[in-house]
Amino acid sequence: MNTRPLSSIGILALAMLPVACGDDPTSPQSFTYSEDFTDGAGIEWSNQATTTSPSGERFLGTFNVASVSLSLPDLPAHSTVTIEFDFHVMGSWNGTTDPDLVTFTHSGGTPVMVTNFANQDDDMQSWPQSHPGGSNARAAGSFATNSLGYDPEGTNELADSSYRIAFTIPHTASTFRFEVAAQPTGNGELWGIDNVEISIH
């Protein structure tokens, strides 16, 4: 089940869902965004391509060297935005060895984090720390590996690894824009996004 902002003449209105935050329907915590891409991607996404993995999981992607952004306008008053999402890494990502960098930004370029990921057996990755710091084993911090049904490129490689990524960002503007930009170094190194949840406070 997904909840997508409603569209009207190209303008999106953030979906309002009731939560336990008192009787005031204008409470900022009443406003959430949720998307699992079961029915595809809405116009709030800069790239609406979706794919279904061999295991049957549908998500936004797949992408190689690319940037994808989510834009949500007309937010009520707030001081922070929390965004959570699954980040799928597929193919022979080699982390810090030949850095496959992923940059997360908001509001037109304000940096949130730059990191990298690895699926190859002998490679290290920065995540869950920032690049150029961190020297962690491949798939460190992932919640699943080899779960999407893809075939590994090598005997000792992971075919895919999946991470739950969450940021709480100071933010007061009425429009929130979040961007993921990846620069993997190989054509077979792919990525995607799934199960996006956003709340404002």
Side-chain angles (χ1 to χ4, degrees):
M1 179 70 66
N2 63 354
T3 301
R4 182 177 299 158
L6 306 176
S7 62
S8 176
I9 320 178
I11 302 298
L12 301 175
L14 194 63
M16 184 173 70
L17 301 178
V19 296
C21 56
D23 296 329
D24 181 3
T26 66
S27 169
Q29 294 186 43
S30 296
F31 290 80
T32 63
Y33 171 91
S34 178
E35 180 61 86
D36 63 9
F37 304 105
T38 299
D39 298 322
I43 61 173
E44 66 272 20
W45 292 92
S46 63
N47 190 322
Q48 297 164 27
T50 61
T51 191
T52 301
S53 73
S55 68
E57 183 72 19
R58 188 175 185 183
F59 57 90
L60 190 73
T62 57
F63 307 112
N64 181 238
V65 177
S67 62
V68 178
S69 63
L70 167 66
S71 297
L72 298 174
D74 301 325
L75 302 182
H78 61 281
S79 59
T80 62
V81 175
T82 297
I83 179 169
E84 301 182 41
F85 56 96
D86 295 346
F87 190 71
H88 299 311
V89 175
M90 296 149 286
S92 57
W93 286 62
N94 43 21
T96 59
T97 303
D98 187 10
D100 294 321
L101 297 180
V102 180
T103 302
F104 304 104
T105 62
H106 77 95
S107 303
T110 302
V112 178
M113 187 179 196
V114 179
T115 192
N116 55 70
F117 302 89
N119 279 339
Q120 296 198 53
D121 188 31
D122 296 328
D123 289 334
M124 309 298 285
Q125 67 179 41
S126 291
W127 180 266
Q129 295 164 273
S130 297
H131 173 83
S135 183
N136 304 300
R138 68 172 182 177
S142 65
F143 67 82
T145 58
N146 293 335
S147 65
L148 297 177
Y150 294 104
D151 294 325
E153 294 188 16
T155 303
N156 295 319
E157 292 184 13
L158 298 174
D160 54 77
S161 51
S162 299
Y163 303 80
R164 187 65 178 171
I165 294 177
F167 300 113
T168 295
I169 301 167
H171 186 273
T172 58
S174 61
T175 296
F176 178 69
R177 184 175 185 270
F178 186 80
E179 182 174 78
V180 181
Q183 295 178 301
T185 55
N187 291 335
E189 298 170 354
L190 305 175
W191 58 279
I193 295 171
D194 201 3
N195 297 318
V196 182
E197 303 282 346
I198 294 178
S199 59
I200 61 175
H201 305 279

